[in-house]
């Protein structure tokens, strides 16, 4: 069974993340979407809220599992009996940072591959921060997040 791990903050999950999850679920037998719990970022949503939102947004994809982790990503990937990390790559701005992380992970665990999937055109400039800023200023987030979690995000702000 080919299992891939898609890690991130998902604060909150956006249509850009969902696009990567839907596409990678067609390539792997199982995709584990996993939230980093010990991030230095100050999240707007608790881990539980983020798990619940991802579960709702991916309810239509049977081979997706939602989880959380702390510590090193490569240790978690091994724990899950996987050897693939999926990352979405947007525009050019992500490249240098992602390149560095992929290298660090390769050094720590040579058996693990990082696979980059190019974000679809519509989502090249989307981020969770943009969603939070718009929601905070009462701008429409309809095009940016899954419909089933839109209200929960709006209520938070
Ligand atoms: N569509 C839209 N937005 C996307 C996206 C996509 N496909 N992919 C990423 N983003 C956005 C996110 O929404 C987020 O936006 P924000 O900054 O506004 O919140 C931003 O890109 C960064 O994504 P994030 O989910 O925070 O991930 P990251 O690239 O910072 O990496 C981990 C997160 C968990 C993979 C990484 O921190 C990690 O591996 N940590 C574990 C510790 C470790 O092992 N370190 C050694 C590795 S060097």
């Amino acid at each position: 069974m080919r299992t891939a791990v898609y890690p991130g903050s998902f604060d909150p999950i956006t249509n850009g993340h969902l696009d990567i999850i839907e596409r990678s679920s067609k390539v792997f037998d199982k995709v584990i979407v996993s939230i980093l719990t010990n991030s230095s970022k100050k999240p707007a949503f608790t881990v539980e809220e983020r798990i619940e939102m991802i579960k709702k947004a991916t309810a239509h994809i049977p081979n997706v599992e939602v989880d959380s982790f702390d510590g090193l990503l490569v240790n978690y990937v091994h724990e899950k009996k996987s050897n693939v990390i999926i990352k979405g790559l947007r525009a050019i701005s992500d490249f240098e940072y992602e390149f560095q992380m992929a290298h660090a992970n390769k050094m720590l665990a040579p058996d693990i591959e990082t696979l980059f999937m190019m974000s679809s055109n519509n989502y090249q400039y989307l981020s969770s921060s943009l969603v939070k800023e718009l929601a905070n200023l009462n701008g429409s987030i309809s095009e940016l997040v899954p419909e089933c979690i839109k209200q929960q995000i709006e209520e938070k702000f």
Side-chain angles (χ1 to χ4, degrees):
M1 177 141 115
R2 304 289 296 165
T3 301
V5 172
Y6 180 41
S9 309
F10 306 106
D11 186 43
I13 183 171
T14 68
N15 283 338
H17 298 126
L18 190 57
D19 167 56
I20 302 289
I21 298 169
E22 282 172 344
R23 287 160 56 203
S24 51
S25 72
K26 292 178 187 147
V27 181
F28 291 93
D29 299 314
K30 182 159 95 180
V31 175
I32 305 175
V33 182
S34 202
I35 300 170
L36 174 70
T37 56
N38 63 348
S39 169
S40 54
K41 292 182 180 178
K42 268 218 136 296
F45 295 90
T46 65
V47 172
E48 291 71 27
E49 286 171 325
R50 285 180 274 162
I51 288 181
E52 188 200 326
M53 286 192 283
I54 301 173
K55 280 189 174 163
K56 268 194 204 164
T58 60
H60 61 293
I61 321 173
N63 57 336
V64 168
E65 224 177 81
V66 187
D67 193 19
S68 62
F69 75 102
D70 55 23
L72 279 182
L73 175 61
V74 290
N75 291 349
Y76 174 78
V77 173
H78 280 152
E79 233 173 75
K80 291 288 155 185
K81 309 254 178 291
S82 170
N83 61 352
V84 179
I85 298 167
I86 305 267
K87 299 297 309 260
L89 209 51
R90 296 162 303 165
I92 31 177
S93 51
D94 280 341
F95 184 76
E96 202 168 319
Y97 174 65
E98 292 294 346
F99 195 69
Q100 189 183 34
M101 274 211 287
H103 264 288
N105 286 330
K106 195 78 195 162
M107 194 179 65
L108 294 167
D111 61 312
I112 295 178
E113 295 297 339
T114 303
L115 290 192
F116 292 103
M117 209 168 253
M118 273 204 270
S119 295
S120 298
N121 274 346
N122 312 0
Y123 308 128
Q124 287 286 337
Y125 298 98
L126 178 51
S127 73
S128 298
S129 301
L130 182 74
V131 167
K132 286 180 275 193
E133 182 163 352
L134 283 176
N136 202 21
L137 300 171
N138 288 321
S140 170
I141 55 168
S142 298
E143 304 292 310
L144 310 183
V145 298
E147 181 60 34
C148 58
I149 61 163
K150 191 179 138 220
Q151 197 183 345
Q152 191 174 347
I153 297 169
E154 285 169 345
E155 276 167 9
K156 185 73 147 188
F157 294 93

